[in-house]
Each structure stands twice: as structure tokens, then as C-alpha cells.
């Protein structure tokens, strides 16, 4: 769940994404956070090796992060930008090469050098950090650390940082386009009576100085906002799923008092994985396992460490976002957040402006899961319900290079766009192979939205460029105006972009290709034409 945008699932007056203001102008800070600037474009992160130790009483954290990287172009006397948001502080910065100086300026650490760097050389920068991080006031909709207690009064800590960025607590290269190719190792240091749960696999647990140290390893590339420590009084149980790539370890970490509920509710994981592997291809992180971790907030798609806080209820804490009742047949957070393992974690947008690549496909994964888990009629009913949540406030695509997301409509409108494209393709097996192809051909990669658009057009053999232009870059919804006289149907599109191409089927088996000019076709009977509501367009009888 792109954590920022789920407010109106509870029928709140807040629309998707309203938490983030969309400024008219952007600052240098915005550009430094969101662009591949001269301080970032010459080095590629290979691995993070980090530690984190939270202090519940002081609401503070400390640790270090060794950032290993490779130089990707020759450069002389460069300045490296490491992101670390105030009020967190860099206590020490050292490197495997000479540093002339480093300065912490606002939310950034600038590491100055006097050296020639050559393409292909490998180095590391190590940052020791500490401080009282930003506290999330309403996680996961706003970012920051969570210091709370469980039902038994035990400390429970985690962080939610997708929108605000991982640098709200961890010194990183905090840009979506650069993931550590060789994964990461994270040590979580806790009091002796608590447990630290991270991403990937637990490779070591030891006790030193009356503290527990849990070491977790991720071997796959990972987006920085997915790097999440969870600290609490956890208990663990395990299972296995036999999927397309063999045996997948299932790892569950929950509060002890919820163990029985979890064992029952998490039985939905295997049907979910089965459905998504059918539609999207193999789960992308077999080597890192699949994990659900009970969290002190609703949920998030942290890679191989999915945050779960849905109170062990079906729907969205017992409600159905679609308003159709269909969504009460399954656990929303298990399905939606796990769908992100394919779209967001396997395929990651390079820029936050293209976050629709994550959210449109993942919200549509709910439709696809419903179809596999229940039936196609229920799935189409659910898809229609999602459409009723669309606001059409601003375009789905945000401003590039400044960490700016577009409209929260990227969820329901994005899903409706994909559903519409599926109708045009009119071949569910071809559509399925396109989804699987996306996850295979862009496996563990960061992409632009345009790459995804072009891929769908290319693999379908249909030019969807005007469709993407219409639904992603405008707030206009196509209207099919029509009038019928006996067996004669007259029709045209209005409220569309130039040269809009979206053929539709009427009366189940007759295809028309409307334009902005009036056209006439002969129907098979004089009965009123039946239009298909699976297309996200408006129909207007002007008779």
C-alpha cells in the first residue's frame, strides 16, 4: 500500500494522496531529494550493511550504515550526497578513500573529495548516525518512527517511510532509481526481552552486553523504503509454499497473544501466492523468503517483510473498500501488500512521479485475486466498485525529479485503466502473459512509467499511447455520445485527447472504433444497444 493514500477507505472525506501537498513551485531541496544530480549520477550503490538500535524511553535511534558502491563514470574531485533527514545527525563519516571534508547541510551529508575516480572502481562510505527521528503522527499515512506499546504494555517499535524517504532515519542514497544490487545486511539491536525482525532471512542471533543482536540478510536488490526494522515481543511460526520456483519459505512474526488468530488468518497466504504466481509469474524473492510481520500500523509492502496490521479481519479492518461486499471475502492487507512484491518491489519506479506503476497494478491485483479465488463476475463487480472512488482531481503522474507523486487516483483510476486495456486486448491469456512478461523482463529492475506503457503496447500489438495519455496525464474521462434509431447507431467520443484510440464492444460481440467525428453502424436488431461497463468511459444517450 503506498502508505500515504488509504484514508478514504473508511469513507473519510480525505481523498487518496491528500496527505501530500502538491506545491506550485519546488525548491533546491526538492531537486536534491528527487533528481539524479551531479552528486549522485557517478556512483551506483551495491550493498548496505547497517545496524540500528532504538531506545524506547528516549524515542531515539543510533547505528551505522556502510554503503558499498561502484563508480559508473570517470570523475574528478566529486562530492557525494548521502541523505539523512533532520533532526538525525551524522556522528562520523569515513570512507575507503581520502575525504577532504564532510558537511551536514539540512537533510543531506555532502562528502567532499580530492581524487580522480575511474569507472569500475569500488569503494565504500560508512556513516555512524544517531538522534531522535521524526515521529510518525499517523502511520502509515505520514512518515517517521513509531514508538508505541502492544496490548500487554511491551515496547513496540517500527518505522513507516515510503513517502518521506528512508533517510528519515537511515543515511542512504535515498532515490528510487538506485537500489543496492547485492542487497543488504541489517543488524537490529534490542533489549534482551525483545525481538528484532527485518527483511530477508535471519542469519544470526546472539546476545552481547545483555542485548540481543538479530542479523538479517537480503540478497536481492531492495528499495530503500522497504528496509524496515520491527522491534517487539514477537513469536514466530513457519510454513512452506510449493510454487513455480520450488519451495518458498513462509515466515510469520506476530504478537504472542495473537498467535492463534494469525495461524487462522494467514491461511489466506497460500491461495494469494497461488493466484499471483498464476497472473504475474513466480514470487520474485524466493531466496529471501516471504514474510508477514505484525506491525503497529495498518500495513506496508516492505520487501520480504510485509507489514500487517489489519487486526486479523477480512476486508479492510472489516470494511470493503469497493463498497460491493466482494472485498469482505479476503484480507485486504494480505492481498494488496503482497501484490506489491511484484509491482513496487520487483518492478520499482525510478521516480515517485511514476508511482502509478506500483499502485495501479497492485490495486488491480485485488481484482485478479478475486477472479482466481472466487469468479470473474465477482472480480468485475469489485472492479466496478473501485471505480466509484475515483476523484479526478489532478493527473495521476506527478512532477519528475522532485519526489512528487500525482493523484491518489493512481489506485482506483489506474486499476480501471488496466481493466479497460484488458477489455481492448480481449484475450485473457495474452493479457496474463503481458503481466508475467513485465515481471520477467523487468525482474529486479527500476523502470520509468514510459517503459511500462511501451511494453504493454508492444506486447499486445495495440497502440495504447493515447489511452495512457488520457488516463494518466489528464483528468478527462472519455464520453461516448450516441443516438439510436432502430438498427442504426450513431456515436462519437467527446472529452478526449487528440487522436484518442479506444475501440469498445457493444452488444457483447460487435466492436466499434469511435473518434471525435460522428460515425454510424448498423446493429443486428433494433433493441437498445447494450454497452459494457468494464470500460472506464461514460455513456451518454443524447436522443
Amino acid at each position: 500500500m503506498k502508505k500515504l493514500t488509504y484514508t478514504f477507505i473508511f469513507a473519510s472525506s480525505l481523498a487518496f494522496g491528500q496527505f501530500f501537498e502538491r506545491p506550485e513551485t519546488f525548491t533546491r531541496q526538492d531537486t536534491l531529494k528527487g533528481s539524479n544530480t551531479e552528486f549522485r549520477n557517478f556512483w551506483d550503490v551495491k550493498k548496505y550493511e547497517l545496524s540500528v538500535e532504538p531506545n524506547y524511553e528516549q524515542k531515539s535511534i543510533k547505528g551505522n550504515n556502510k554503503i558499498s558502491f561502484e563508480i559508473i563514470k570517470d570523475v574528478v574531485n566529486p562530492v557525494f550526497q548521502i541523505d539523512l533527514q533532520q533532526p538525525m545527525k551524522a556522528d562520523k563519516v569515513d570512507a575507503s578513500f581520502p575525504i577532504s571534508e564532510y558537511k551536514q547541510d539540512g537533510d543531506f551529508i555532502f562528502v567532499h573529495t580530492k581524487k580522480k575516480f575511474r569507472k569500475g572502481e569500488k569503494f565504500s562510505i560508512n556513516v555512524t548516525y544517531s538522534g531522535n527521528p521524526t515521529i510518525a503522527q499517523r502511520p502509515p499515512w505520514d512518515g517517521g518512527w513509531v514508538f508505541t506499546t502492544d496490548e500487554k504494555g511491551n515496547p513496540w517499535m517500527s518505522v513507516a517511510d515510503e513517502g518521506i524517504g528512508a533517510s528519515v532515519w537511515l543515511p542512504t542514497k535515498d532515490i528510487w532509481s538506485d537500489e543496492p544490487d547485492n542487497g543488504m545486511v541489517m543488524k537490529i539491536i534490542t533489549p534482551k526481552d525483545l525481538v528484532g525482525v527485518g527483511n530477508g532471512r535471519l542469519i544470526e542471533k546472539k546476545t552481547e552486553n545483555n542485548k540481543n543482536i538479530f542479523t538479517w540478510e537480503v540478497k536481492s536488490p531492495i528499495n530503500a523504503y522497504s528496509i524496515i526494522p520491527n522491534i517487539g515481543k514477537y513469536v514466530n511460526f513457519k510454513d512452506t509454499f510449493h510454487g513455480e520456483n520450488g519451495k518458498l519459505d513462509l515466515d510469520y512474526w506476530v504478537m504472542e497473544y495473537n498467535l492463534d488468530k494469525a495461524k487462522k488468518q494467514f491461511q489466506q497466504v497460500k491461495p494469494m501466492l497461488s493466484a499471483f504466481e498464476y497472473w504475474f509469474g513466480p514470487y520474485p524473492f524466493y531466496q529471501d523468503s516471504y514474510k508477514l510481520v505484525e506491525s503497529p500500523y495498518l500495513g506496508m509492502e516492505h520487501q520480504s517483510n510485509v507489514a500487517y496490521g489489519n487486526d486479523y479481519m477480512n476486508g479492510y479492518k472489516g470494511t470493503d473498500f469497493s463498497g460491493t461486499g466482494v472485498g469482505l471475502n479476503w484480507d485486504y492487507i494480505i492481498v494488496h501488500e503482497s501484490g506489491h512484491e511484484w509491482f513496487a518491489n520487483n518492478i520499482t519506479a525510478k521516480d515517485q512521479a511514476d508511482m502509478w506503476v506500483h499502485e495501479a497494478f497492485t490495486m488491480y491485483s485485488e481484482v485478479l485475486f478475486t477472479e482466481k479465488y472466487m469468479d470473474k463476475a465477482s472480480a468485475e463487480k469489485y472492479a466496478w466498485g473501485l471505480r466509484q472512488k475515483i476523484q479526478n482531481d489532478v493527473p495521476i503522474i506527478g512532477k519528475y525529479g522532485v519526489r512528487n507523486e500525482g493523484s491518489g487516483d493512481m489506485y482506483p483510476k489506474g486499476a480501471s485503466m488496466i481493466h479497460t486495456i484488458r477489455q481492448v486486448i480481449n484475450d485473457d491469456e495474452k493479457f496474463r502473459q503481458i503481466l508475467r512478461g513485465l515481471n520477467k523482463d523487468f525482474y529486479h529492475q527500476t523502470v520509468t512509467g514510459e517503459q511500462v506503457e511501451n511494453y504493454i503496447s508492444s506486447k499486445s500489438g495495440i497502440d495504447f499511447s493515447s489511452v495512457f495519455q488520457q488516463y494518466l496525464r489528464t483528468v478527462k474521462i472519455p464520453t461516448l455520445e450516441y443516438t439510436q434509431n432502430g438498427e442504426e447507431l450513431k456515436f462519437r467520443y467527446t472529452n478526449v485527447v487528440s487522436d484518442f484510440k479506444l475501440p469498445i464492444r457493444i452488444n457483447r460481440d460487435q466492436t466499434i472504433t469511435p473518434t471525435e467525428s460522428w460515425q454510424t453502424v448498423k446493429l443486428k436488431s433494433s433493441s437498445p444497444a447494450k454497452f459494457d461497463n468494464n470500460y472506464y468511459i461514460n455513456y451518454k444517450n443524447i436522443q
Side-chain angles (χ1 to χ4, degrees):
M1 152 173 99
K2 284 316 183 211
K3 52 180 190 196
L4 319 164
T5 47
Y6 268 106
T7 351
F8 77 58
I9 289 180
F10 285 118
S12 162
S13 61
L14 294 177
F16 277 127
Q18 191 169 333
F19 177 80
F20 276 155
E21 295 181 3
R22 300 181 180 87
E24 294 287 330
T25 59
F26 295 93
T27 66
R28 177 176 178 270
Q29 292 255 324
D30 294 320
T31 300
L32 287 171
K33 288 181 178 180
S35 294
N36 193 27
T37 65
E38 62 182 305
F39 308 116
R40 288 169 160 172
N41 64 11
F42 61 94
W43 57 291
D44 175 44
V45 176
K46 293 300 180 183
K47 190 171 186 177
Y48 291 130
E49 296 170 81
L50 66 103
S51 69
V52 57
E53 181 179 359
N55 185 305
Y56 177 78
E57 287 75 21
Q58 296 178 7
K59 304 296 186 288
S60 67
I61 58 172
K62 64 180 180 179
N64 69 276
N65 190 15
K66 178 183 177 183
I67 306 170
S68 299
F69 59 88
E70 180 176 339
I71 301 297
I72 57 177
K73 68 178 182 179
D74 294 350
V75 63
V76 179
N77 302 336
V79 177
F80 292 80
Q81 175 187 320
I82 308 296
D83 305 294
L84 183 63
Q85 296 179 38
Q86 303 176 80
M88 295 299 296
K89 297 295 183 184
D91 300 316
K92 182 181 179 182
V93 177
D94 53 33
S96 62
F97 53 88
I99 295 175
S100 57
E101 66 173 340
Y102 72 86
K103 297 178 180 179
Q104 188 160 0
D105 181 5
D107 292 337
F108 314 102
I109 305 164
F110 291 104
V111 181
H112 295 254
T113 70
K114 290 184 178 179
K115 172 181 166 55
K116 293 181 179 180
F117 290 81
R118 300 299 185 188
K119 179 179 179 180
E121 292 181 330
K122 296 180 180 180
F123 300 97
S124 64
I125 295 174
N126 190 68
V127 182
T128 302
Y129 65 95
S130 64
N132 296 91
T134 297
I135 303 296
Q137 299 301 310
R138 191 165 173 264
W141 292 277
D142 68 340
W145 264 77
V146 179
F147 294 92
T148 187
T149 57
D150 64 19
E151 291 182 9
K152 303 296 183 181
N154 301 302
W156 197 6
M157 295 167 280
S158 189
V159 61
D161 60 22
E162 179 204 19
I164 197 171
S167 56
V168 73
W169 68 279
L170 180 68
T172 60
K173 186 179 183 182
D174 199 4
I175 186 170
W176 286 13
S177 59
D178 193 359
E179 300 179 348
D181 303 273
N182 300 324
M184 65 134 193
V185 173
M186 174 165 57
K187 292 184 178 181
I188 306 173
I189 303 169
T190 76
K192 198 172 181 179
D193 60 338
L194 297 180
V195 174
V197 184
N199 308 80
R201 296 182 183 274
L202 181 64
I203 60 172
E204 183 182 52
K205 176 191 173 184
K206 61 182 180 180
T207 302
E208 290 182 356
N209 301 320
N210 208 35
K211 296 178 181 180
N212 292 329
I213 303 174
F214 300 86
T215 302
W216 295 82
E217 181 180 27
V218 170
K219 294 185 176 180
S220 308
I222 182 169
N223 46 55
Y225 70 77
S226 277
I227 301 172
I228 298 293
N230 304 274
I231 300 93
K233 206 147 191 176
Y234 285 102
V235 295
N236 174 239
F237 68 102
K238 300 178 183 295
D239 202 350
T240 57
F241 171 75
H242 296 280
E244 291 190 19
N245 278 358
K247 177 184 173 183
L248 173 62
D249 295 324
L250 309 179
D251 203 15
Y252 305 124
W253 296 80
V254 301
M255 299 295 103
E256 184 175 15
Y257 51 81
N258 284 328
L259 183 59
D260 290 340
K261 291 180 182 178
K263 287 182 175 180
K264 179 180 179 182
Q265 192 73 358
F266 291 179
Q267 289 177 16
Q268 296 187 36
V269 167
K270 290 183 182 180
M272 174 275 298
L273 288 170
S274 179
F276 286 164
E277 287 208 334
Y278 171 81
W279 285 108
F280 302 146
Y283 174 73
F285 307 106
Y286 270 74
Q287 61 183 340
D288 295 325
S289 80
Y290 171 88
K291 190 185 305 89
L292 278 182
V293 182
E294 187 169 357
S295 71
Y297 52 82
L298 180 66
M300 262 295 293
E301 71 267 18
H302 308 133
Q303 185 174 313
S304 65
N305 180 17
V306 176
Y308 178 86
N310 202 37
D311 294 339
Y312 304 97
M313 302 171 70
N314 277 0
Y316 183 103
K317 289 200 171 185
T319 67
D320 176 19
F321 175 53
S322 77
T324 64
V326 174
L328 295 176
N329 289 282
W330 38 268
D331 189 310
Y332 187 93
I333 295 301
I334 290 176
V335 171
H336 182 93
E337 304 306 345
S338 298
H340 275 306
E341 291 282 48
W342 284 263
F343 292 96
N345 298 340
N346 184 37
I347 304 173
T348 307
K350 288 182 180 292
D351 192 295
Q352 195 162 335
D354 279 330
M355 207 164 82
W356 70 269
V357 173
H358 301 187
E359 298 306 342
F361 285 98
T362 300
M363 181 154 273
Y364 196 63
S365 78
E366 301 162 24
V367 177
L368 296 173
F369 170 77
T370 299
E371 183 170 333
K372 192 70 174 170
Y373 186 62
M374 299 174 66
D375 52 68
K376 193 166 187 176
S378 298
E380 291 181 347
K381 182 178 180 181
Y382 186 83
W384 179 89
L386 294 180
R387 194 187 306 170
Q388 310 315 305
K389 305 300 184 181
I390 297 170
Q391 301 292 296
N392 281 315
D393 50 354
V394 295
I396 286 175
I397 294 178
K399 302 292 189 298
Y400 290 100
V402 287
R403 285 191 71 92
N404 174 253
E405 66 175 67
S407 171
D409 278 349
M410 70 180 77
Y411 293 77
K413 185 178 177 182
S416 297
M417 176 188 72
I418 294 169
H419 193 55
T420 298
I421 287 172
R422 180 183 179 184
Q423 310 312 310
V424 177
I425 293 173
N426 196 27
D427 182 335
D428 281 352
E429 181 56 25
K430 177 182 282 190
F431 177 72
R432 183 171 80 101
Q433 292 305 323
I434 290 172
L435 297 176
R436 291 174 67 93
L438 281 166
N439 280 280
K440 180 181 179 181
D441 294 344
F442 296 125
Y443 181 73
H444 289 181
Q445 293 181 35
T446 62
V447 301
T448 65
E450 188 176 358
Q451 282 180 282
V452 174
E453 295 174 37
N454 292 339
Y455 187 94
I456 292 172
S457 290
S458 173
K459 296 300 181 180
S460 66
I462 301 169
D463 180 6
F464 284 110
S465 58
S466 65
V467 173
F468 290 119
Q469 182 72 15
Q470 180 85 32
Y471 293 108
L472 297 177
R473 298 173 176 88
T474 81
V475 296
K476 300 191 296 185
I477 302 307
T479 297
L480 183 77
E481 294 185 343
Y482 69 94
T483 179
Q484 184 174 349
N485 183 12
E487 296 181 359
E488 183 179 88
L489 182 71
K490 188 177 181 181
F491 57 89
R492 71 172 179 182
Y493 272 139
T494 61
N495 205 37
V496 292
V497 297
S498 177
D499 200 27
F500 182 66
K501 293 183 176 68
L502 180 66
I504 61 173
R505 287 185 303 281
I506 59 174
N507 296 332
R508 295 184 179 274
D509 59 358
Q510 186 171 358
T511 299
I512 59 175
T513 307
T515 66
E516 292 182 85
S517 299
W518 285 104
Q519 299 179 58
T520 302
V521 297
K522 186 175 182 180
L523 306 176
K524 294 179 181 179
S525 76
S526 58
S527 300
K530 293 181 179 179
F531 298 97
D532 190 344
N533 284 326
N534 283 305
Y535 297 89
Y536 180 34
I537 62 177
N538 295 322
Y539 299 100
K540 183 179 180 181
N541 188 340
I542 61 171
Q543 260 181 327

